[in-house]
Amino acid sequence: MLNVELNGRTPDLAQLHRITCVNYGHYTSMQVRDHRVRGLALHLARLADGAEELFGHRIGVAEEHRLLGLIRHALGDVRDASVRVTFVPGSPEQGPPDVLVSVSEPAPPEPGPPLRVQTVRYERELPEHKHVATMGLHYRLREARLAGFDDALFVGHDGRVREGTSWNVAFWDGAQVVWPDAPVLRGVTMVLLQIAMSINGTPWTLRPIDAEELSSFAAAAAANSRRPAQPIASIDELPLKDDGQLAEALQVAWETVPWDEL
């Protein structure tokens, strides 16, 4: 199923060389089902914010329509897929960014076994953007796995919990869902979950969380576009007494999020 297109065409060798040799840009990732996406407006807003910050390029309504056309073209007849839309430096570099659309297999429907995560001191550069400068987080992920964990949970130099390597983290304090208030990527899935929980009456809050507080939470979960309610079994050597309430609350909220036609 894999398909990669640059501005709607298969990139040639020179274009691939340019893209792979300059690690600069930003992207959004989405799960497509029956040519529909959850939170499409948020994905487009993320791309617009990144284009203005990283390229000084403003995206208007016409370019949004062009982006949707590029996604549809890369999908072709494929109805279900994982799609990544990346803005990369154009040629010439002072011009508008090029658009790279990658299509691959859809994420599996099941969340998989609960994660064992390790806390590490790390803060992403420009954390509010989903940019391609990912060596730091992949290095921390590798180190966590070498230490016997599944993934890494970032704690800032201020001692406050941030985010996972490619996911936002949610906690359950016995009464409500708690999201860390910190410089992090406001993930599309996280925002959609917060909106859905507000609508269905699930209590939640956003507040700073010190690393020392982690032992006080009953449960934790990772949330991203591939797995919106991935349970976390333990943090460092601390097992979480998860009764499934957090994952269920997130999953129930997620199932109410509407799909948008591409």
Side-chain angles (χ1 to χ4, degrees), residues 171-187:
F171 299 95
W172 179 255
D173 67 3
Q176 62 182 345
V177 180
V178 183
W179 303 88
D181 185 8
V184 300
L185 178 71
R186 287 180 54 79

Side-chain angles (χ1 to χ4, degrees), residues 137-156:
L137 64 86
H138 282 292
Y139 176 75
R140 271 71 184 187
L141 173 60
R142 180 178 185 274
E143 291 290 288
R145 288 177 174 171
L146 287 174
F149 296 89
D150 300 311
D151 214 320
L153 175 63
F154 300 148
V155 175

Side-chain angles (χ1 to χ4, degrees), residues 57-73:
H57 178 68
R58 304 199 71 173
I59 293 179
V61 175
E63 190 156 356
E64 282 192 0
H65 288 305
R66 172 176 173 262
L67 282 173
L68 293 176
L70 292 174
I71 296 171
R72 288 192 291 263
H73 188 272

Side-chain angles (χ1 to χ4, degrees), residues 4 47 86 94-95 129 156 171 177 181 184 192 201 211 221 226 242 249 253:
V4 179
L47 291 174
T86 309
Q94 64 269 24
H129 293 290
F171 299 95
V177 180
D181 185 8
V184 300
L192 292 173
R226 297 180 67 85
D242 185 11

Side-chain angles (χ1 to χ4, degrees), residues 129-205:
H129 293 290
K130 196 175 181 73
H131 51 69
V132 300
T134 58
M135 176 180 170
L137 64 86
H138 282 292
Y139 176 75
R140 271 71 184 187
L141 173 60
R142 180 178 185 274
E143 291 290 288
R145 288 177 174 171
L146 287 174
F149 296 89
D150 300 311
D151 214 320
L153 175 63
F154 300 148
V155 175
H157 297 294
D158 57 3
R160 290 179 173 172
V161 176
R162 294 292 203 267
E163 58 193 334
T165 56
S166 60
W167 38 272
N168 291 108
V169 63
F171 299 95
W172 179 255
D173 67 3
Q176 62 182 345
V177 180
V178 183
W179 303 88
D181 185 8
V184 300
L185 178 71
R186 287 180 54 79
V188 169
T189 299
M190 179 184 73
V191 174
L192 292 173
L193 284 169
Q194 291 172 348
I195 294 171
M197 288 189 295
S198 295
I199 293 173
N200 72 14
T202 301
W204 68 273
T205 189

